[in-house]
Amino acid sequence: MSIIDKHFLAPYGWNRSALYRKYTKEFEKPVNRLRFELEGKPMSKSSMDNILDSLDPFEVVASQKGLIEARAVFRDSNEKIVAYFPMERVEIDAVHLNLGLVDEETGEYIGKVIVFLSIDVHTRYILGYSLVYGLSPAESAEAAIELLRHTVSPKIANGNYQNEWACLVLACLTVSMPITVRHLETKCFFALRPC
């Protein structure tokens, strides 16, 4: 209905009562009755509410208050994510650490650090990481690709840790997304299924 698009899904859109009053006024106008071939009575307020309830809440907030506000409102999830077996769900995130890095040899300030991590939700096992540092570091596609590369690659012991770092992803490799990432040498992606 154009009245919903024009008055409800608009910046600072009307509330439901004002929208329904506008709808009934427009419904009763003879010019609209002829133009849209309207007969009988206008729909009830509860029917209008049902139509409004069927709209995507994200789209409603985005059209009324803007995309930034909609993303802020719907960013958090109140649902608890449950994974029933390892590698069912892998999550990737970046952590901005408010730590300054100093070069051990020169004593020169290098900058802040961002740590990218991939973690298995079921086991809470860290599958891989990558680091970005500098005077003003930013999240980048290159760092995300490096994280994916580190996650799917066998881990080479380099002296930074004592225990073996198992590569849970290696046995589960498959092409599961129709996306080509030219920077990945392996050109493989997670299969979110048990190994």
Side-chain angles (χ1 to χ4, degrees):
M1 290 176 33
S2 63
I3 197 162
I4 292 175
D5 294 336
K6 186 175 180 182
H7 298 291
F8 188 72
L9 296 176
Y12 307 102
W14 295 3
N15 65 35
R16 292 173 178 231
S17 297
L19 182 68
Y20 183 71
R21 284 192 302 273
K22 177 70 173 175
Y23 163 73
T24 54
K25 284 181 186 177
E26 293 295 321
F27 187 91
E28 297 298 332
K29 288 184 178 176
V31 68
N32 286 336
R33 285 185 168 267
L34 289 173
R35 181 176 172 199
F36 298 112
E37 299 177 2
L38 302 174
E39 295 178 1
K41 300 186 300 184
M43 76 171 103
S44 67
K45 171 93 166 59
S46 61
S47 295
M48 173 76 79
D49 287 337
N50 289 339
I51 291 171
L52 297 177
D53 288 340
S54 70
L55 298 174
D56 181 19
F58 182 84
E59 292 297 327
V60 171
V61 175
S63 60
Q64 290 179 347
K65 298 181 181 178
L67 189 57
I68 294 172
E69 180 67 25
R71 286 182 179 155
V73 169
F74 291 98
R75 177 181 356 196
D76 295 333
S77 172
N78 295 331
E79 299 175 19
K80 182 176 181 180
I81 297 170
V82 178
Y84 297 101
F85 49 84
M87 297 304 297
E88 179 182 6
R89 182 180 177 99
V90 173
E91 293 187 351
I92 296 173
D93 201 0
V95 179
H96 295 253
L97 300 176
N98 196 15
L99 300 173
L101 299 179
V102 176
D103 188 338
E104 288 181 5
E105 295 176 5
T106 63
E108 184 179 331
Y109 176 71
I110 298 173
K112 297 179 189 177
V113 66
I114 300 174
V115 180
F116 289 78
L117 297 167
S118 62
I119 186 170
D120 176 46
V121 173
H122 180 73
T123 62
R124 309 304 296 162
Y125 188 80
I126 301 292
L127 299 170
Y129 70 92
S130 69
L131 301 172
V132 175
Y133 58 88
L135 296 176
S136 57
E139 295 179 19
S140 64
E142 291 83 13
I145 290 169
E146 181 61 32
L147 170 64
L148 291 175
R149 184 180 290 123
H150 187 259
T151 299
V152 300
S153 301
K155 309 302 185 277
I156 300 168
N158 63 4
N160 291 340
Y161 50 88
Q162 296 174 351
N163 299 325
E164 192 66 28
W165 190 353
C167 181
L168 299 179
V169 180
L170 195 57
C172 294
L173 287 179
T174 185
V175 176
S176 62
M177 292 185 276
I179 298 172
T180 303
V181 178
R182 294 186 184 112
H183 305 292
L184 268 180
E185 293 166 3
T186 58
K187 293 191 173 96
C188 294
F189 296 90
F190 303 114
L192 300 181
R193 59 179 171 75
C195 298

